[in-house]
Amino acid sequence: MKRVCHDCGRAKEESAFLAGKAKRLSRVCAPCRKSRQKRHIKSFYRGLSTDERHRITQRRRAQHYGAAHQPYSRTEIFARWGHRCGYGCNASAEHLDHITPLSRGGADAEANMIPACAACNLSKGALTLAEWALRDFPPPF
Ligand SMILES: [Zn+2]
Ligand SMILES: [Zn+2]
């Protein structure tokens, strides 16, 4: 038994139309269902403000690392630092960085957040502040 996909118009075997765990027949084939889902997620993200978008991605990252998460406002933190890189280089900040990286046990919380320029953010990477300082500014003795 072939079935015509409602989205791409191709005739495919019925097995390509079984959706979800319940295996019910869907009007669109599996690849089209996937791209429908993607479009849905994208338009959902587009509708969010920068703060909300940031909150969602950060919460997911924090969960991934098992880090503590407290809601904070990206906009407020940027404003407090005058949109400058908090690592003292005086460039304009583009990223909100975790001072102690999530992967190193840092919390996803306001006290651990600092605006950073792309260069500082990249240079620091997953180092702690102390490790970064030691690498780039080793003590002279
Ligand atoms: Zn299709
Ligand atoms: Zn910087």
Side-chain angles (χ1 to χ4, degrees):
M1 257 303 267
K2 293 234 176 180
R3 209 176 152 81
V4 176
C5 170
H6 203 71
D7 274 10
C8 65
R10 291 200 191 97
K12 300 190 177 184
E13 288 302 328
E14 235 173 33
S15 59
F17 290 86
L18 300 175
K21 280 193 192 119
K23 298 270 178 234
R24 63 176 179 83
L25 275 173
S26 148
R27 281 143 61 96
V28 295
C29 69
C32 288
R33 204 160 47 239
K34 265 215 181 105
S35 67
R36 272 188 175 198
Q37 266 161 5
K38 262 196 202 134
R39 269 203 305 275
H40 179 78
I41 292 170
K42 266 194 190 149
S43 67
F44 168 73
Y45 268 91
R46 253 199 303 274
L48 297 175
S49 72
T50 318
D51 261 348
E52 287 166 326
R53 210 162 21 222
H54 182 82
R55 196 171 302 141
I56 289 177
T57 36
Q58 282 314 110
R59 193 169 40 207
R60 194 176 311 132
R61 287 189 59 210
Q63 259 166 11
H64 175 79
Y65 288 113
H69 172 81
Q70 279 159 18
Y72 51 84
S73 160
R74 188 179 196 275
T75 312
E76 271 173 29
I77 298 175
F78 266 75
R80 193 179 317 133
W81 287 85
H83 296 261
R84 296 272 140 204
C85 175
Y87 291 127
C89 75
N90 210 34
S92 77
E94 292 165 58
H95 305 274
L96 195 57
D97 193 33
H98 291 92
I99 301 169
T100 303
L102 293 179
S103 60
R104 308 295 300 276
D108 188 39
E110 181 147 358
N112 193 34
M113 303 312 293
I114 196 168
C117 70
C120 286
N121 194 31
L122 201 70
S123 159
K124 182 169 171 292
L127 299 175
T128 64
L129 204 51
E131 287 166 346
W132 188 36
L134 272 178
R135 191 197 63 192
D136 286 7
F137 311 100
F141 41 86

